[in-house]
Amino acid sequence: PFRIFPVESGGQAVTAGAYEQYARLTDAFSALVLTTLRNRPLAIQPPFALREIRAWSSLAIGLERLRLSKMPYFFLLGLMARRVARLVVAQRPQVVEVTMPWMAGIRRWLPDSIKVVLLMQNVEALWYEESLSQTLAPGLFGRWLSRMEGRAVHQADHVITLTSFDQLELAKRYGVS
């Protein structure tokens, strides 16, 4: 398995515990962490291959101060999908896990033999609804987010949700089982 984890805030969002559980399941587990420019390198030393890439797209997070939300950053992460796919293919994994829908566009750059699992921590369109309402273009960002999230759940080979509410809401919004 190969796990892609974009960090979209200033904190260290990678938890060693989850990775250690993966490492117990397979000796071929590796992870790619897309960190922002304001992140320090990860302090953890996990017992598996971990590669960090500084996401220059994180410069777009500064647009938050202009009341544009993080949507430009997430949009640029999607544009990075091709570059990330090349790194993933070089690892020859059987499964790629994408945490949240921002990098799910990677599916189009991967061979069909590599399965993509999308882990949804929540329904992003709902999660960002309130903060988007306070931006300069809430409708524009909201529609983009819904389309992107819908594509992500349709393109993934499997979708894992953390709650039954999220499962039902994604099914209702995007017509997936």
Side-chain angles (χ1 to χ4, degrees), residues 27-176:
D27 56 3
F29 173 69
S30 56
L32 172 67
V33 182
L34 303 174
T35 58
T36 67
L37 295 178
R38 62 186 178 194
N39 288 123
R40 290 186 297 272
L42 294 175
I44 63 172
Q45 294 298 318
F48 49 82
L50 175 68
R51 181 172 181 179
E52 287 185 76
I53 294 180
R54 295 282 180 207
W56 287 92
S57 60
S58 65
L59 290 173
I61 289 179
L63 297 173
E64 278 183 287
R65 295 187 179 116
L66 300 176
R67 296 181 56 209
L68 291 175
S69 82
K70 290 180 183 167
M71 292 301 123
Y73 166 66
F74 293 135
F75 176 77
L76 292 172
L77 276 180
L79 294 178
M80 284 182 62
R82 187 175 189 180
R83 174 185 173 209
V84 172
R86 282 195 294 259
L87 297 170
V88 169
V89 169
Q91 299 287 321
R92 297 185 180 163
Q94 294 174 326
V95 177
V96 173
E97 179 190 304
V98 180
T99 304
M100 296 180 286
W102 317 115
M103 289 296 296
I106 195 172
R107 167 80 276 168
R108 70 183 278 215
W109 306 108
L110 295 175
D112 290 339
S113 60
I114 299 176
K115 300 303 177 198
V116 174
V117 175
L118 172 63
L119 175 62
M120 295 291 291
Q121 295 182 17
N122 50 54
V123 179
E124 300 296 315
L126 277 178
W127 182 259
Y128 281 94
E129 204 167 66
E130 185 178 339
S131 63
L132 285 175
S133 69
Q134 300 168 22
T135 64
L136 292 175
L140 175 69
F141 287 131
R143 285 189 302 277
W144 173 81
L145 177 55
S146 288
R147 281 194 307 271
M148 183 271 304
E149 186 172 58
R151 269 193 313 273
V153 298
H154 281 281
Q155 290 175 347
D157 294 293
H158 301 280
V159 178
I160 298 173
T161 60
L162 297 187
T163 68
S164 57
F165 171 82
D166 293 334
Q167 178 185 6
L168 294 172
E169 186 65 23
L170 287 172
K172 181 176 83 175
R173 281 176 177 258
Y174 305 118
V176 293

